Amino acid sequence: LLWIIKLSIISQSELSQSPPTIFPQSLDLSAYGRVFDEPRFIKGLLNTVVIAGITTVVCLAAGSIAAYAIARLKFRLQSAVLGMILAIAFFPAVAILGPLFLIFDGIGITDTYQAMIIPDILFALPLTVYLLVAYFRELPLDIEEAAKVDGAGPVQAFFMVTLPLSIPGVATTGILTFIFAATEFLFANTFSFTTDSQPATVIIPQFATQYVTDYGAQAAASMVLTVPLTLLVLVFQKKIVTGLTAGAVK
């Protein structure tokens, strides 16, 4: 990270020095100017927010309901079901890249947000469910039972009691899902062809021509994408730690 920061704040001449300098010899922020003057990158940032935002919302909506069912309902092979869900997250994405492309091309959704949101949800949803199951299991059943005694049904108890008490876990899961979707490259690079749908991760390598690569602009663009995500983690650090350690202690 420090090396990327250094590359983004030095001049083109210093970038081409051999051997490279360890510390910046002068401060030059022109790379950031080239990045923000590039309409493709600005559009890429907006596409990133849209793709990651929709992915996060869908994963939290579906994942919280599935996690609550696994955490509260008793059924056979409960642990096996959770294990199978989590195993999907470790499935090699490159193995389904070709089939997905053929399917998406056949139904006409390549080069659209949907082509990236669907696989992002596929791989982010298992982690969402796994994290929320651990958090829901930490919540005492007595609170839900009291709500049911007062006349609340299972759905009302979930939305009015369990979910509000699970904000740290939900916030943790939402942040991690957003970061995953915002930094995803494989599906985005395969399914998006124009700047109308390409996220920032695909635009950054395009700061290059056939003969010249603008390493300064690539580093600056990487920092523009990374710094907000880093600040997001720092701001919600306590909630992230609380959510990730849920279920660790009985």
Side-chain angles (χ1 to χ4, degrees):
L1 179 60
L2 292 176
W3 189 254
I4 296 298
I5 295 174
K6 182 250 184 182
L7 292 179
S8 70
I9 60 173
I10 61 177
S11 63
Q12 292 277 41
S13 58
E14 188 174 347
L15 271 171
S16 59
Q17 287 186 11
S18 182
T21 57
I22 301 300
F23 300 101
Q25 296 179 347
S26 60
L27 184 64
D28 186 347
L29 300 179
S30 60
Y32 288 93
R34 295 195 299 275
V35 165
F36 286 110
D37 286 340
E38 179 57 64
R40 292 179 302 167
F41 183 70
I42 303 301
K43 177 62 175 176
L45 288 177
L46 295 176
N47 292 339
T48 297
V49 172
V50 172
I51 294 169
I54 295 176
T55 300
T56 302
V57 171
V58 173
C59 284
L60 289 180
S64 60
I65 296 174
Y68 181 75
I70 294 174
R72 289 292 189 250
L73 300 180
K74 302 299 180 183
F75 55 90
R76 291 182 179 181
L77 303 177
Q78 188 175 24
S79 298
V81 170
L82 182 60
M84 291 176 62
I85 292 175
L86 187 60
I88 297 175
F90 296 98
F91 194 83
V94 68
I96 63 172
L97 201 59
L100 277 181
F101 183 87
L102 293 176
I103 293 173
F104 291 164
D105 187 55
I107 61 179
I109 63 170
T110 51
D111 200 27
T112 64
Y113 291 147
Q114 297 94 305
M116 289 164 281
I117 292 172
I118 292 173
D120 283 353
I121 292 174
L122 175 65
F123 283 93
L125 189 57
L127 181 62
T128 302
V129 173
Y130 183 79
L131 291 175
L132 289 179
V133 164
Y135 200 88
F136 287 151
R137 284 176 175 171
E138 277 291 291
L139 297 178
L141 276 171
D142 296 342
I143 301 177
E144 294 179 26
E145 294 297 334
K148 292 177 181 178
V149 170
D150 291 337
V155 176
Q156 289 177 309
F158 171 68
F159 284 106
M160 298 178 64
V161 178
T162 305
L163 200 56
L165 292 175
S166 306
I167 293 301
V170 174
T172 299
T173 307
I175 292 170
L176 295 178
T177 302
F178 187 90
I179 292 174
F180 165 79
T183 57
E184 197 280 323
F185 176 77
L186 181 62
F187 293 119
N189 190 52
T190 304
F191 299 141
S192 60
F193 314 131
T194 65
T195 55
D196 290 335
S197 63
Q198 287 176 334
T201 51
V202 178
I203 297 296
I204 290 174
Q206 296 180 18
F207 284 98
T209 64
Q210 183 177 358
Y211 303 104
V212 179
T213 300
D214 192 345
Y215 294 110
Q218 289 183 344
S222 299
M223 291 304 302
V224 172
L225 180 62
T226 303
V227 168
L229 299 178
T230 303
L231 293 177
L232 189 66
V233 172
L234 293 177
V235 170
F236 293 97
Q237 184 176 11
K238 291 184 178 180
K239 291 186 180 297
I240 291 176
V241 173
T242 302
L244 289 177
T245 55
V249 180
K250 295 293 185 182

